[in-house]
Amino acid sequence: APEPMEETILPAVVECFCSRQDRLFVAAGRCLALLRGRFARRPEVMRAHGPRIAKTVLKTFEIVAGAPQLSQHLQSKAKARGLVGVGAAATLATSTRLLSALLNSAESAQWFSP
């Protein structure tokens, strides 16, 4: 039977991660790393949320990694997402770590497939 962590906590963490709020993204990114470990023997649990996580990581990485040389349009998008300022470094670090971890796993690397 599914456990509360699988049915309640994981979806809530994914929701926070995808919320477009800098602080939630960073905190939820840490939680996702822990949850990946927790569900390592049952990859199908994380797989259900995989494409959404992958899309968010890539989009955030794209916006934050290019922050110093962003076009006016992308700067306004980054600002709207709360990704400019004090939290930008933490956001970049979180997205880089998570992107690397996801791509290093054959299971989660598939989440990035179109």
Side-chain angles (χ1 to χ4, degrees), residues 8-81:
T8 308
I9 295 173
L10 177 59
V13 169
V14 172
E15 196 60 40
C16 287
F17 184 74
C18 299
S19 72
R20 298 182 167 209
Q21 292 183 33
D22 197 24
R23 288 186 180 149
L24 282 178
F25 174 85
V26 172
R30 290 185 188 127
C31 291
L32 283 175
L34 295 171
L35 288 167
R36 284 185 67 237
R38 169 114 168 115
F39 294 117
R41 291 197 175 130
R42 295 176 48 223
E44 69 279 0
V45 173
M46 294 292 292
R47 190 182 305 136
H49 303 281
R52 191 165 176 219
I53 294 168
K55 182 180 175 187
T56 300
V57 168
L58 287 177
K59 191 166 199 72
T60 303
F61 187 81
E62 174 189 21
I63 290 171
V64 181
Q69 61 270 26
L70 284 180
S71 68
Q72 201 64 25
H73 173 69
L74 282 180
Q75 281 180 6
S76 64
K77 280 178 91 170
K79 196 171 195 170
R81 287 193 61 172

